[in-house]
Amino acid sequence: MWPNILAFAVGVWLLQQQAFLPGLFWLWLLLPLSLLLYGLQHRTSRPLRWLRRILRMTLWFGVGFFWAAFFAQMRLADALPKNWEGRDIQVTGVISSLPVANARGPRFEFDVERVVTPGARVPAHIQLSWFDGGFGKPAAYPIPDLHPGERWELTLRLKRPHGNANPHGFDYEAWLLERNIRATGYVREGPGNRLVSERVYRFGYLVEMARDSASRRLSRVLGERPYAGVLKALAIGEQSAISPDQWQVFLRTGVNHLMSISGIHVTMVSGLFFALTYWLWRRSQRLTLRLPARKAAVVAGVLAALTYALLSGYGVPTQRTLYMLSVVAIALWLGRNSNAFSVLSLALLTVLLLDPWAVKSPGFWLSFGAVAAILYVSVGRIGRPRWLEEWGRVQWAVTLGLVPALLALFQQVSLVSPIANALAIPLISLVITPLTLLGTILPVDFLLLAAHEVMAWCMTFLTWLSALPATVWQQHGPPPWTVIVALCGVLWLLLPRGFPARWLGLVWFAPLFLMLPPAPRQGELWLTVLDVGQGLAAVARTRHHTLLYDAGPSFGTEADAGSRIVVPYLRGTGVSRLDGMVISHDDIDHSGGAASVLQSVPVGWTISSLPERSPVLSGAANKFRCFSGQQWTWDGVRFEMLHPTWGSYQNDRFKDNDRGCVLKITTAFGSVLLPADIERRSEQDLLERLPDALAANVLVVPHHGSRTSSTEAFIRAVHPATAIFTVGYRNRHGHPKEEIVERYLAQGIETWRTDTSGALDLRFGAGGMTLQSQRQLRQRYWQATD
């Protein structure tokens, strides 16, 4: 059975790699395959038996592929029309999720019941933010206290799902699709937003109401205690309550899997209710005669697991555990023995039947991979080892088995995770989580306070462990084939004791670490203009050096492009340090991610036009001001600073934009000009001082294509073949302005936009300049194409 389910899973996975959805009429191809399989079912010769198995797996593969395609067709059909993006739409609907608090207001999911605006069409399920005013302006209408299950009449502005597209980056559009969020937007300020009814009594809303009630109780009891957010994550899956610093500790020590509602927690809760029910039920002769104690305990255990899974948000790890427990429960109820691998396979099939996009989630691979590794070293082995030996074997299997997946998904592995998990797993699963759940359900504050105190002790140890040198192995993103080879090495290393030469499994790991990403040759320049939304970040690589020009915007108090986009890109491409970083000026869309980069990656020196005491540069060791005349050569590639002049720093009337660091990079195969956000004044200054130095093959358009820049004289002087607009999708500034784009097109210049193309990879080599778009290289059926 399990090979067929595995073939089904491969079919589902393959569909998620497609650039376009296949027409469902191709489903008829499975009919002749089914007929052939039916005709061979009674043949007994060995070749025909093998053919029958292959045909059966092929059929399951096809069913998985088209099952996922059917779901995708249905989900994509519920779309926001492009002509209704950015327009006021009045709707009535219900808050369907626990609101998440952000710096500027709550974010929540919303079920649309009725569209009031004539002619408008809105998807049934959307995600909204409710801002407290806008960009420095106070709110005219304060944000109300929002609760799940409330019915509201709101005026919205929406846009279709759109995210940044970068190598080794997070696919936000896929994440929205999996959650059936078919539009995002915000609530417009105004008197028309009103509460229609306080409670809508449907099952899903009742679950979210219970989560909301639990969240508020935890907040009321724990207040501002440092690990209140961790307990919220353990009780109701509210992971957003954990601070970035705490997440960093969990990631570095490899215990982050415990901060989601993992299978360990669900199994613990289920086992606790099973044991308690079994113990109590056996003490009643009347109850035992009506229903055997073991069957009653099975029902209690499954119901407890289901309740905890629903309250926790019903993520992939909890789904997998719940389905496995359910299969085991059915087997116990029927009095049958259940094979462990069959249980895991049925859980896999159930997850993919209900959620074909689960294969896009790292939790899917890590969850099923961990359980598969445990079963591989536990089931069918001869002998009964002692509990300590068995525990050590399981820890070794999970740690080793997940290395290829962790390197492929995150390009890092915690080296201290076995030590950290040895303490964290029993403490969090057997002490902290039970106390937190009991304290959430029962009106006994002491239980929550005790859970927080134990968590504080645990965090003291984890924080000390994470601060040790070399706690995390970080490297480039390995090629897919090396991950498969390493998994074969895992299987060989974990063979039962007595198999010869098990150490050879380590050899299979070698390509995972030794197959380095390609690098520029001598004299070549590889420039990647990252898709950071409304802002700029570009990585310039020569044979032995790397420069970061700007670090993208800040996304709020807890996230920025540096940590979300730049650092993952550097790590994935094998860049372990930056030789230099240029922060062109003090605008937050260019400098917002700089602090995160300085904290995460060694940086040789930093050049900027920022004030000397700018907090952005507080982590920089060697920092200098940029000025015209600075130049250096790396590996045959020349870097030259054209602007600003040194005297501009003495002129207080200079705007930050006009003091931006303008960098020109020149190779034997072409050149690129990076002019930051300079405006007409600085463009004219460059035309007067350095008219012959401006010419470049590629121009990153100044100030994102605003009307204040890109004068015709400047464009003629640069005379680029290619112009790149670094803009955010439907940004509030309206960049790039239509007349500016037309100004470039009128001069025969090819134009690109990061909001529609994603990151742009430019390579200056012997064949000239080549340009590749991330959305073209990795096109998927759910991505926005216009």
Side-chain angles (χ1 to χ4, degrees):
M1 186 66 177
W2 70 265
N4 299 328
I5 295 177
L6 192 60
F8 179 91
V10 172
V12 172
W13 173 85
L14 185 62
L15 186 278
Q16 309 305 343
Q17 313 309 310
Q18 302 305 303
F20 304 98
L21 285 177
L24 295 181
F25 64 90
W26 291 105
L27 189 60
W28 290 104
L29 291 176
L30 299 181
L31 181 59
L33 187 63
S34 303
L35 294 175
L36 180 60
L37 185 61
Y38 179 77
L40 294 174
Q41 66 176 341
H42 299 299
R43 305 300 176 90
T44 57
S45 66
R46 179 172 294 182
L48 290 179
R49 286 203 304 270
W50 276 104
L51 177 60
R52 192 163 60 240
R53 290 176 183 174
I54 294 173
L55 290 175
R56 187 179 295 113
M57 290 181 65
T58 304
L59 182 62
W60 277 76
F61 168 84
V63 171
F65 184 85
F66 285 107
W67 177 262
F70 171 74
F71 266 63
Q73 294 274 21
M74 295 291 291
R75 190 156 290 186
L76 291 179
D78 189 21
L80 177 72
K82 187 171 180 59
N83 62 321
W84 280 100
E85 286 188 297
R87 297 171 60 181
D88 286 355
I89 305 174
Q90 191 175 12
V91 302
T92 300
V94 181
I95 298 175
S96 61
S97 71
L98 186 66
V100 176
N102 288 320
R104 291 189 56 212
R107 185 183 70 248
F108 54 93
E109 294 177 24
F110 192 74
D111 288 340
V112 177
E113 296 178 318
R114 187 170 67 95
V115 179
V116 179
T117 303
R121 179 184 169 191
V122 178
H125 190 63
I126 59 179
Q127 179 177 274
L128 298 174
S129 297
W130 199 322
F131 298 128
D132 56 347
F135 304 100
K137 298 184 298 182
Y141 300 89
I143 300 175
D145 190 17
L146 302 175
H147 300 270
E150 292 178 339
R151 178 177 282 122
W152 282 82
E153 184 175 293
L154 302 172
T155 301
L156 313 175
R157 279 199 177 175
L158 302 173
K159 63 180 179 180
R160 296 185 297 174
H162 191 95
N164 304 120
N166 293 286
H168 310 288
F170 176 66
D171 193 335
Y172 181 61
E173 293 171 41
W175 184 87
L176 292 174
L177 181 67
E178 182 183 359
R179 284 151 183 78
N180 196 24
I181 298 172
R182 303 304 304 132
T184 62
Y186 62 93
V187 179
R188 291 275 284 167
E189 272 195 302
N193 301 318
R194 64 184 185 91
L195 178 65
V196 177
S197 57
E198 293 186 354
R199 292 288 184 270
V200 178
Y201 293 98
R202 296 176 194 164
F203 178 74
Y205 302 150
L206 291 173
V207 171
E208 292 301 316
M209 290 178 201
R211 297 183 69 210
D212 181 56
S213 176
S215 176
R216 292 174 185 276
R217 167 161 171 74
L218 287 163
S219 296
R220 185 171 60 253
V221 174
L222 298 176
E224 298 298 322
R225 287 177 172 83
Y227 307 115
V230 177
L231 298 191
K232 282 188 178 183
L234 293 173
I236 58 174
E238 194 176 341
Q239 296 184 32
S240 61
I242 300 178
S243 70
D245 291 340
Q246 291 169 353
W247 268 122
Q248 191 68 18
V249 171
F250 298 145
L251 288 169
R252 290 181 61 83
T253 55
V255 301
N256 51 303
H257 65 100
L258 296 173
M259 295 307 112
S260 60
I261 308 299
S262 68
I264 297 175
H265 304 332
V266 177
T267 304
M268 179 273 301
V269 171
S270 177
L272 179 64
F273 274 82
F274 177 94
L276 183 62
T277 304
Y278 186 73
W279 183 77
L280 291 174
W281 201 273
R282 291 183 62 189
R283 274 146 182 78
S284 171
Q285 183 177 8
R286 179 180 300 177
L287 292 175
T288 305
L289 290 174
R290 294 179 65 89
L291 183 67
R294 189 168 73 164
K295 290 188 175 182
V298 163
V299 174
V302 171
L303 289 177
L306 174 61
T307 302
Y308 188 29
L310 290 173
L311 289 176
S312 69
Y314 210 58
V316 170
T318 57
Q319 292 178 40
R320 183 261 305 162
T321 305
L322 177 63
Y323 301 148
M324 289 182 67
L325 289 173
S326 299
V327 172
V328 172
I330 292 172
L332 289 173
W333 184 277
L334 298 176
R336 297 180 180 179
N337 292 324
S338 54
N339 178 275
F341 283 103
S342 297
V343 171
L344 183 63
S345 300
L346 289 172
L348 173 65
L349 178 63
T350 307
V351 168
L352 295 180
L353 284 173
L354 297 176
D355 181 11
W357 293 278
V359 294
K360 300 292 298 177
S361 168
F364 172 86
W365 298 98
L366 298 178
S367 176
F368 279 97
V371 175
I374 293 171
L375 296 181
Y376 183 68
V377 299
S378 303
V379 176
R381 299 294 173 100
I382 299 174
R384 296 182 61 84
R386 297 174 182 174
W387 70 269
L388 186 59
E389 181 183 352
E390 179 70 11
W391 176 84
R393 179 194 294 175
V394 167
Q395 284 293 313
W396 166 246
V398 172
T399 300
L400 185 67
L402 293 185
V403 165
L406 289 170
L407 289 179
L409 294 169
F410 306 113
Q411 295 83 56
Q412 64 179 21
V413 175
S414 173
L415 299 179
V416 297
S417 63
I419 301 173
N421 279 288
L423 173 74
I425 288 177
L427 268 183
I428 293 176
S429 297
L430 301 178
V431 180
I432 298 172
T433 301
L435 285 174
T436 302
L437 290 175
L438 288 173
T440 303
I441 297 170
L442 302 175
V444 182
D445 296 353
F446 169 78
L447 296 174
L448 290 176
L449 298 174
H452 186 275
E453 191 64 27
V454 178
M455 189 68 225
W457 296 340
C458 184
M459 281 298 296
T460 300
F461 174 73
L462 294 177
T463 302
W464 172 81
L465 203 59
S466 71
L468 295 176
T471 58
V472 178
W473 172 268
Q474 296 181 340
Q475 67 160 64
H476 60 278
W481 69 268
T482 65
V483 177
I484 297 173
V485 169
L487 289 173
C488 295
V490 170
L491 296 176
W492 189 265
L493 280 167
L494 297 180
L495 284 170
R497 184 180 303 170
F499 270 82
R502 286 188 298 166
W503 60 270
L504 287 175
L506 293 174
V507 177
W508 294 64
F509 269 81
L512 194 69
F513 303 100
L514 300 180
M515 291 300 298
L516 300 178
R521 298 177 181 177
Q522 182 69 20
E524 290 185 344
L525 169 69
W526 290 5
L527 178 74
T528 302
V529 180
L530 294 170
D531 176 16
V532 294
Q534 185 67 17
L536 175 62
V539 179
R541 298 173 60 196
T542 65
R543 181 163 180 78
H544 298 295
H545 297 83
T546 304
L547 173 79
L548 175 65
Y549 183 90
D550 282 341
S554 170
F555 302 137
T557 57
E558 298 182 349
D560 56 62
S563 59
R564 293 277 182 90
I565 298 172
V566 177
V567 171
Y569 171 78
L570 295 175
R571 184 184 301 139
T573 51
V575 177
S576 58
R577 72 180 303 272
L578 291 170
D579 296 279
M581 180 167 70
V582 176
I583 302 299
S584 62
H585 61 296
D586 207 12
D587 280 1
I588 198 170
D589 58 334
H590 293 250
S591 63
S596 292
V597 174
L598 288 166
Q599 183 181 13
S600 304
V601 182
V603 179
W605 48 258
T606 303
I607 291 178
S608 75
S609 64
L610 276 61
E612 292 183 1
R613 297 184 179 180
S614 170
V616 173
L617 301 176
S618 59
N622 301 305
K623 47 189 176 183
F624 312 94
R625 279 190 161 170
C626 63
F627 59 89
S628 179
Q630 290 171 321
Q631 56 182 285
W632 64 95
T633 300
W634 284 341
D635 307 314
V637 178
R638 185 184 181 192
F639 295 76
E640 183 180 6
M641 199 68 69
L642 305 183
H643 188 77
T645 62
W646 184 257
S648 68
Y649 290 104
Q650 314 306 319
N651 188 344
D652 293 336
R653 291 178 297 175
F654 254 69
K655 296 170 58 178
D656 283 342
N657 283 355
D658 276 321
R659 199 179 283 124
C661 307
V662 177
L663 179 67
K664 183 178 180 181
I665 310 175
T666 306
T667 75
F669 317 108
S671 57
V672 59
L673 185 65
L674 298 157
D677 280 357
I678 62 170
E679 300 182 357
R680 295 188 187 96
R681 176 179 182 177
S682 295
E683 290 181 355
Q684 184 60 37
D685 176 64
L686 283 167
L687 289 170
E688 294 173 358
R689 289 192 299 106
L690 302 167
D692 298 329
L694 294 177
N697 301 89
V698 177
L699 172 66
V700 177
V701 175
H703 206 181
H704 318 289
S706 77
R707 294 190 183 96
T708 63
S709 308
S710 296
T711 60
E712 292 188 8
F714 180 78
I715 297 173
R716 281 195 302 269
V718 179
H719 192 58
T722 303
I724 298 173
F725 294 90
T726 55
V727 292
Y729 182 69
R730 297 192 62 82
N731 63 87
R732 66 188 181 94
H733 305 287
H735 294 160
K737 299 300 182 181
E738 186 175 348
E739 59 266 36
I740 301 300
V741 176
E742 290 296 328
R743 191 174 295 172
Y744 281 90
L745 293 175
Q747 297 195 30
I749 300 170
E750 180 185 28
T751 61
W752 292 81
R753 300 170 49 143
T754 54
D755 60 341
T756 56
S757 65
L760 294 167
D761 188 54
L762 298 87
R763 299 191 176 186
F764 296 84
M769 192 275 288
T770 61
L771 185 151
Q772 291 182 316
S773 158
Q774 177 66 12
R775 287 190 183 270
Q776 292 175 345
L777 284 173
R778 194 181 178 278
Q779 189 174 356
R780 295 294 184 264
Y781 67 84
W782 58 80
Q783 291 176 340
T785 56
D786 52 6

